Amino acid sequence: MDLTSFNDGAQHIAGRPTRGSGGEPFAVVNPANGATVQQVELATTADVDAAVAAARAALPEWSGATPGARSEALNRLAGILAEHAEDFARVETAQTGKPIKLSTEFDVPGTVDNTAFFAGAARNLEGKAAGEYSGDHTSYVRREAVGVVGSIAPWNYPLQMAAWKILPAIAAGNTIVLKPAEITPLTSLMFARACTAAGIPDGVVNVVTGTGRTAGEHLIGHPDVAMVSFTGSTAVGKRVAEIATATATVKRTHLELGGKAPFVVFDDADLDAAVHGAVAASLINSGQDCTAATRAYVQRPLYDAFVAGVAELYDGIRLGDPLSPHTDLGPLVSFAHRDRVAGFVERARSYATVVTGGPATGKGHDGTDLALGAYHRPTLITGAAQDSEVVQGEIFGPVLVVLPFDSDEEGLRLANDTPYGLAASAWTRDIHRSLRATREIAAGCVWVNDHIPIISEMPHGGYKASGYGKDMSQYSLDEYTQVKHVMFDTTAVARKDWHRTIFGDR
């Protein structure tokens, strides 16, 4: 089975690959060298309509399948993904530029694990225990599929985000139309093909590759779409919510939006651990991660040593060919995004200190000509004000801003001082400090003495401008179900006492 041939089209509708009806070719580009990975035809609104129609047609059979049958299909899917792990990693690296060691050791195994988890979760639709809560009736809760789900996934983790959208939706009995980012659609298409190969019925999983303005907005507003799930920037998330609520149908929305994660280092922290943790957490996926560490607040006794330690490690990071197993940092996803990140850094030079980093020139560790790709060196900034652009704005690149604080109260206040609330970390040996930090930091995930690890069994989602709803875990499965209360009379009494509150006398 070849999942990697895309010559028959970049859409997956009703179990079959098809070409987008737009006709004009669109290049998926390798940001490491500017080479075209694949030419695809983008979807039009007609393609979206066809995909939604396929999903709607498949809904009765799939939602009516037993949880065990859906579980078995997902277990088969996990096996196929594992069997083709090398192909998925290679294509993911080609379209995004992320280092092959990240694709191989994080993206692909994480996706296989998510699939195995939801295979089990499909058989565990939880509800309140049946009981006679009124005394005269037996009540129980049913969890039912919402319907056709329209999902839009981002470009930073194309495979994982496709899985995060598709798996809980179909495990709960829904059908789905996924629109991946048009610049990174290939592993999403591979995932859909693997679903078909696993025996998941045609139309349950559909993928349309198109622009947000054309395919995305039409999908969100489609009258046959019952739920919308979106991962991306807060600005676009607001637009998604606007379209979803402006339609005649009332759609459920699930939004996982931007982040500006604080990394709070108290003066009793293990300095070596904090330095290494900050480098890893700020540079994962070239910093293109909504949970990446972006703002390090370091209590003043450790501040200078922390800055020096991070700068030293940053200077040793190996940029180069993403296919080299020794490359630490690949390019950003596109040249346009590289220029956007560079703009933040260059503007910061007028009001802060760029300790190290900036545009990548010269040769990589393996002789790669960095000027041919969308590379940007790890960048460390100090001396910025709390209200400055680099502290408040989502840069989404390999940039860490470090600021000092004095009291614990100040550090936690600064950590919360952005519109976002997706993730954060606290670094301390003191149990009371850690408990206070996890309680007071307004974020959907707070790590203690680590930053970035995620697991399938635990939820991922934000507070404030970072959106609402959860990915992964049983909580994610709940997002994609309707809760129905069913109540049975147990008395067989025709004339019930409560009727007298409406008519007649006792």
Side-chain angles (χ1 to χ4, degrees), residues 1 3 12 14-15 58 61-62 65-66 68-81 115 170 190-205:
M1 175 176 50
L3 301 178
H12 188 88
E61 175 190 355
W62 185 248
T66 65
R70 293 197 292 266
S71 176
E72 288 174 6
L74 289 172
N75 272 317
R76 291 193 298 270
L77 174 61
I80 292 170
L81 297 176
T115 307
I170 68 172
M190 292 171 64
F191 190 94
R193 293 174 180 183
C195 289
T196 297
I200 294 172
D202 295 348
V204 173
V205 176

Side-chain angles (χ1 to χ4, degrees), residues 203-230:
V204 173
V205 176
N206 307 273
V207 174
V208 290
T209 300
T211 65
R213 187 59 60 93
T214 298
E217 294 198 359
H218 190 64
L219 177 61
I220 295 163
H222 199 289
D224 290 334
V225 169
M227 175 179 173
V228 171
S229 178
F230 170 80

Side-chain angles (χ1 to χ4, degrees), residues 319-397:
L319 283 69
D321 181 0
L323 289 175
S324 167
H326 304 296
T327 292
D328 298 320
L329 195 73
L332 296 172
V333 75
S334 70
F335 293 91
H337 187 58
R338 187 272 314 272
D339 293 345
R340 177 183 177 276
V341 171
F344 275 95
V345 174
E346 293 312 302
R347 290 190 296 273
R349 294 183 189 277
S350 67
Y351 59 80
T353 299
V354 178
V355 177
T356 187
T361 57
K363 301 293 185 182
H365 72 94
D366 54 357
T368 297
D369 186 352
L370 301 179
L372 295 178
Y375 290 91
H376 194 283
R377 293 193 182 279
T379 302
L380 180 64
I381 297 175
T382 60
Q386 175 67 13
D387 62 355
S388 63
E389 180 186 49
V390 290
V391 175
Q392 295 293 325
E394 189 176 23
I395 301 172
F396 224 58

